[in-house]
Amino acid sequence: MTDYEAATAFLGEWGRFQRQVFFFACMTVIPNGFVGLSVVFVADTPPHRCLVPAQINLTAAWRNSSIPPEGEGREASSCSRYKLDELLSFSERGLLPGVDVNMSNVPKEGCLDGWEYDRSVYISTIVTEWDLVCDQSWRQPLTSSVFFCGVFTGSFISGQLSDRYGRKIVLFVTMAVQTVFTLIQVFSPSWAVFCALYFVVGMGQISNFVAAFVLGTEILGPRVRIIFSTAGVSLFFAAGYMFLPLCAFFIRDWRMLLLGLNLPGFLYVPFWWFIPESPRWLLSQGRVEEAEAIIRDAAKKNKTEPPTVIFSPLQKDAPPEEKKAHNICDLIRSRNIRRISVTLWLVWNTVSIAYFALSLNTANLHGDAYFNCFLSAVVEIPAYTLTWVIFQWCSRRPSLFSSLFTGGLFLLLIRFIPAHLSSLAIALEMTGKFAVTAAFAIVYAYTAELYPTVLRTTAVGTCSMASRIGSITAPFFIYLRSYSVSLPYILMGSLTVLTGLLSLLLPESYGMPLPDTITHMQRFPGCCQKTPYTLTHIEEGENTAERKT
């Protein structure tokens, strides 16, 4: 299968067939932009204070003074109130707060009667509906972490299923799972049920993205593949992300928001007839007739004449490595692929921490939450465009390093910005988000170039699975704001800079054909090798002989 691209060169690079695959595969990625990040609005915590029941007969002065101030800003407490029995006693005696009574001596108690929430921004969120505040505030970041646990599980399962049963079937099954379970989520009676359904939605979300990404990468030609894997899927993802704050601005109830975001998912059903299976994958499974049928149909759409024999006998008699079933263990079986895999897992993990922590933090930034979320989505557009330009003319390894190092540096600079310069801090954070987003797009496409066809979806899925350790912890990076506002930026910035240095150990894939078998993979060069490495025909023969023995 080493001459697949040569065998299908007669199709051209950008005919009707390629445009159809490019557009429809990218379209399937749009829901991924808002499904996971909808938690920014669905689980946001509005200002709140302890509820003082209306039946408690307090004067207006004592009711207004029932919440104690706290913190350096002496703002009203969100989780405590003055003891109502004491206030009622003072009120009945005609005493005035702060005049006749020293409020610092009045005992306090928790919010025994619940909370009163500010409804000026949201009609309802899961936080206001199930009181995920104060002693239960840990449940709010855990909600996002449960989703990313589902993403972690989906990454582990879907890659292997896709390599075994096909890209197309996994793509559409997981799209259906994502849509149906999100709609069921709308009717959640409790936080626990919501999280259980959110876990399944997470499984479908990443599986859909990885399957679409790999399918398009394998079908499209070299030049169009670069556009698809960097700018294509990423820009459509960003379009979905930009749609989120626009939709949330007009729908302020969390149940109606989820319903409005996911009903369009049923429009993807007709896509089944427009997106073909990957011919590369079919060949790797020995299903040559099906692969040829797809290529001949593509030739008809492109108005080109296919040769009598598309795939040579060498390709039809695929070597044992291509026909045998591969699994996740193959990613660590040999020393070379193990080094590449472990390095990529660490890179993906850190990029995921930075990307999702910055995305989820938009509700905490100074100013309007909807505008900040939209701004966070908008900065991804030039980031993905830059990624496409970089991939066209630049080497992969220095591109990944520079984006990670730059992003980490800007995040570290935020801690030096005074509190009154909030606009400058937001500008630095968005610049860091820009660089981290570019790194995410680069590492996706870079990973697909390094691994062979027989393992590509498993590899991308496993790298995505490794990154979910980062995304699972990302909400708790934001939770650290309660201890120090600058602490999340220090941790994220340091990790991102160090990982940028680590990425310099990876092999270069610029200008290299996609590997189809494990023996076609490059060696892990570490710090010393400056030029790309490829196996010679002699070395391939030696590896084949070793496998037979």
Side-chain angles (χ1 to χ4, degrees), residues 9 51 56 73 86 94 97 121 150 205 208 236 259 274 305 394 411 516:
L51 176 67
I56 300 296
E86 296 285 337
V121 177
Q205 194 253 13
N208 162 23
F236 278 77
L259 187 64
F274 294 96
E305 187 65 31
C394 300
L411 294 179
D516 285 313

Side-chain angles (χ1 to χ4, degrees), residues 509-521:
S509 62
Y510 177 61
M512 306 295 294
L514 282 182
D516 285 313
T517 66
I518 293 176
T519 55
H520 295 154
M521 288 185 67

